[in-house]
């Protein structure tokens, strides 16, 4: 948690004091060649971990870090990651947070009001990308046009097996842009069979995490990480990125690395 807090404060200060205008729609990042959406995905994973940590251990620094990370997502203007952060927060507070129903209801109500005010403040003062109307106006940053092309010209011709794994294969068929959607790009690259296998793998991860892990911060974080893939996948292609495989590796290691139960080794119980 300490390393994430340090990174969060660094990114926050960098964005606030030394923002870098990128070629990705003139949006800000911490480096000229770093896609703001990629940075936002890293921030989202950090926010998810810190969120579970601060409610588990009830410390003020992680809570402040979570707020700063959420604020930084607004500044960067990644709508998919910001929406994912809000949705994962809701899932955690309503379904995964181990507290009484009354306390959960009160705190969730307060946080919903806070989130709505943050969204309103962000739209007026910080970044006008953080709203539903901006998605409609710019057609999802051109994604809707790309999706239409994929459905009409690519998917029908390569429905079963796809054009081949890797975004470079799109150039071979005369199209240089990916769909920025995990599900559409998966159908294009690895076909309906590959997409089915991908979804089965992710669902299997969720089931195994829920069955294998006890209710602790590792289990909660793993569940939210895998859910993050499903949500981010709506606006980003993540199944062929480092973040995707990091989440798969993290969740598998969390399942495999189980603590040894003392009653299995009674002779060491007194140690």
């Amino acid at each position: 948690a300490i390393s994430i807090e340090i990174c969060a404060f660094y990114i926050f200060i960098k964005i606030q004091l030394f923002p870098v205008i990128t070629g990705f729609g003139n949006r800000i990042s911490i480096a000229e060649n770093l896609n703001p959406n990629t940075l936002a995905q890293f921030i989202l994973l950090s926010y998810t971990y810190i969120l579970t940590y601060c409610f588990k251990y009830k410390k003020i620094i992680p809570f402040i870090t979570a707020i700063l990370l959420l604020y930084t997502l607004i500044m960067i203007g990644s709508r998919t990651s910001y929406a994912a952060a809000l949705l994962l927060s809701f899932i955690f507070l309503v379904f995964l947070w181990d507290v009484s129903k009354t306390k959960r209801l009160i705190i969730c109500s307060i946080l919903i009001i806070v989130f709505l005010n943050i969204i309103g403040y962000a739209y007026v003062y910080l970044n006008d990308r953080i709203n539903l109307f901006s998605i409609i106006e710019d057609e999802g940053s051109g994604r809707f046009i790309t999706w239409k092309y994929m459905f009409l010209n690519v998917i029908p011709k390569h429905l079963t097996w796809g054009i081949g794994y890797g975004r470079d294969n799109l150039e071979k068929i005369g199209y240089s842009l990916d769909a920025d959607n995990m599900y559409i790009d998966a159908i294009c690259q690895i076909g309906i069979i590959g997409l089915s296998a991908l979804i089965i793998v992710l669902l299997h991860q969720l089931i195994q995490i829920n069955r294998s892990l006890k209710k602790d911060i590792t289990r909660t974080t793993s569940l939210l990480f895998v859910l993050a893939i499903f949500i981010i996948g709506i606006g980003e292609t993540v199944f062929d990125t480092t973040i995707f495989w990091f989440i798969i590796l993290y969740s598998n290691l969390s399942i495999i690395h189980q603590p040894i139960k003392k009653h299995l080794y009674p002779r060491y119980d007194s140690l």
Side-chain angles (χ1 to χ4, degrees), residues 14-79:
K14 177 73 174 178
I15 292 292
Q16 288 294 312
L17 302 181
F18 311 101
V20 177
I21 305 298
T22 67
F24 302 93
N26 292 324
R27 292 161 55 195
I28 63 174
S29 183
I30 59 174
E32 185 176 355
N33 296 322
L34 179 59
N35 191 323
N37 290 332
T38 303
L39 176 62
Q41 291 169 19
F42 168 77
I43 293 174
L44 174 64
L45 296 185
S46 302
Y47 169 79
T48 302
Y49 180 82
I50 287 294
L51 180 70
T52 58
Y53 185 90
C54 68
F55 278 96
K56 173 70 175 178
Y57 297 104
K58 299 178 178 61
K59 294 183 178 180
I60 188 63
I61 297 299
F63 183 77
I64 294 174
T65 304
I67 297 298
L68 292 180
L69 288 170
L70 195 61
Y71 180 86
T72 306
L73 278 179
I74 297 173
M75 294 295 296
I76 293 173
S78 177
R79 294 173 294 205

Side-chain angles (χ1 to χ4, degrees), residues 19-247:
V20 177
I21 305 298
T22 67
F24 302 93
N26 292 324
R27 292 161 55 195
I28 63 174
S29 183
I30 59 174
E32 185 176 355
N33 296 322
L34 179 59
N35 191 323
N37 290 332
T38 303
L39 176 62
Q41 291 169 19
F42 168 77
I43 293 174
L44 174 64
L45 296 185
S46 302
Y47 169 79
T48 302
Y49 180 82
I50 287 294
L51 180 70
T52 58
Y53 185 90
C54 68
F55 278 96
K56 173 70 175 178
Y57 297 104
K58 299 178 178 61
K59 294 183 178 180
I60 188 63
I61 297 299
F63 183 77
I64 294 174
T65 304
I67 297 298
L68 292 180
L69 288 170
L70 195 61
Y71 180 86
T72 306
L73 278 179
I74 297 173
M75 294 295 296
I76 293 173
S78 177
R79 294 173 294 205
T80 303
S81 294
Y82 183 70
L86 296 183
L87 186 55
L88 290 174
S89 300
F90 175 80
I91 293 172
F92 169 73
L93 294 172
V94 175
F95 300 106
L96 300 177
W97 191 24
D98 189 18
V99 294
S100 64
K101 293 183 179 180
T102 303
K103 187 175 181 180
R104 181 185 291 114
L105 179 61
I106 294 173
I107 295 181
C108 285
S109 300
I110 294 173
L111 289 177
I112 287 173
I113 295 173
V114 171
F115 282 146
L116 290 176
N117 278 276
I118 289 175
I119 294 173
Y121 177 82
Y123 174 65
V124 175
Y125 297 104
L126 299 179
N127 198 321
D128 58 6
R129 283 175 53 88
I130 308 297
N131 69 89
L132 179 61
F133 299 106
S134 71
I135 299 176
I136 298 173
E137 290 171 0
D138 65 7
E139 296 184 310
S141 297
R143 286 178 176 84
F144 299 162
I145 298 174
T146 305
W147 296 352
K148 181 179 179 180
Y149 176 87
M150 294 293 189
F151 276 112
L152 294 178
N153 299 282
V154 180
I155 294 175
K157 299 177 182 178
H158 308 275
L159 181 61
T160 305
W161 299 106
I163 61 175
Y165 181 75
R167 307 185 191 192
D168 293 340
N169 288 308
L170 289 170
E171 297 181 2
K172 297 178 181 178
I173 62 173
Y175 202 73
S176 59
L177 297 175
D178 57 71
D180 274 333
N181 180 291
M182 179 178 73
Y183 309 100
I184 297 176
D185 271 329
I187 295 178
C188 291
Q189 294 183 29
I190 54 181
I192 192 68
I193 295 177
L195 175 63
S196 301
L198 176 65
I199 293 177
I200 289 172
V201 167
L202 294 175
L203 290 176
H204 179 263
Q205 291 292 112
L206 288 176
I207 294 171
Q208 288 299 311
I209 292 169
N210 194 47
R211 287 180 178 177
S212 304
L213 296 181
K214 62 181 181 179
K215 293 184 178 181
D216 61 4
I217 188 172
T218 305
R219 171 183 177 271
T220 303
T221 305
S222 299
L223 280 171
L224 292 176
F225 275 2
V226 177
L227 288 173
I229 293 179
F230 281 102
I231 302 171
I232 296 175
I234 298 173
E236 297 290 337
T237 298
V238 292
F239 77 98
D240 58 351
T241 64
T242 304
I243 288 178
F244 173 84
W245 295 109
F246 164 77
I247 291 175

